[in-house]
């Protein structure tokens, strides 16, 4: 699983990487698979969430490579392993990060440490 700042530019880059690695997936199916990976039922729901953000702060959400791979399999008959998806996205420098991921990781670590005590 990966943390991603949910912005149009980040989603577009991840889509390009996904299609470059799995061209048989196609554009529309890549949209739907990414939406599933972000926890949305449809690409339309993902677009609505992106539109609702406006110019305010952007949420950092978990991308589930397993859900993305499962949806890609349902739509295009592909069976990419979740670790293949993680490899494709792993080295990506997302355009809209600005240190937000590090901030979120730090928060999660602090919460985890507090829960252990």
């Amino acid at each position: 699983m990966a943390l991603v700042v949910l912005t149009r530019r980040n989603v577009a880059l991840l889509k390009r990487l996904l299609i470059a690695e799995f061209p048989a997936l196609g554009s529309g199916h890549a949209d739907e698979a990414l939406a599933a990976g972000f926890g949305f039922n449809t690409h339309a729901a993902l677009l609505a969430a992106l539109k609702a953000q406006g110019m305010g702060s952007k949420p950092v959400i978990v991308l589930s490579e397993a859900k993305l791979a499962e949806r890609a399999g349902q739509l295009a008959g592909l069976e990419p392993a979740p670790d293949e998806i993680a490899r494709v996205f792993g080295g990506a420098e997302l355009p809209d990060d600005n240190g937000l991921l590090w901030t979120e990781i730090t928060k999660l670590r602090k919460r985890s440490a507090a829960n252990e005590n």
Side-chain angles (χ1 to χ4, degrees):
M1 293 198 187
L3 292 174
V4 177
V5 180
L6 189 63
T7 66
R8 289 179 188 274
R9 293 184 341 154
N10 285 350
V11 171
L13 175 63
L14 293 174
K15 177 183 174 179
R16 283 193 304 273
L17 293 172
L18 190 61
I19 292 171
E21 187 69 22
F22 306 103
L25 188 57
S27 179
H29 289 162
D31 287 334
E32 292 293 333
L34 275 169
F38 285 127
F40 295 93
N41 290 329
T42 64
H43 181 243
L46 171 59
L47 290 177
L50 288 168
K51 185 175 181 179
Q53 290 176 5
M55 298 302 290
S57 65
K58 309 299 182 199
V60 176
I61 63 173
V62 175
L63 172 66
S64 169
E65 292 91 350
K67 288 181 180 178
L68 191 156
E70 178 183 358
R71 189 69 174 131
Q74 293 169 346
L75 293 169
L78 298 175
E79 295 186 21
D83 61 333
E84 286 181 89
I85 303 294
R87 179 188 51 77
V88 170
F89 294 158
E93 290 192 27
L94 299 174
D96 294 323
D97 178 359
N98 300 328
L100 291 174
L101 293 183
W102 183 250
T103 301
E104 287 300 314
I105 290 169
T106 302
K107 286 180 190 175
L108 290 171
R109 286 183 177 157
K110 286 180 182 177
R111 271 191 231 138
S112 177
N115 290 338
E116 289 176 2
N117 294 329

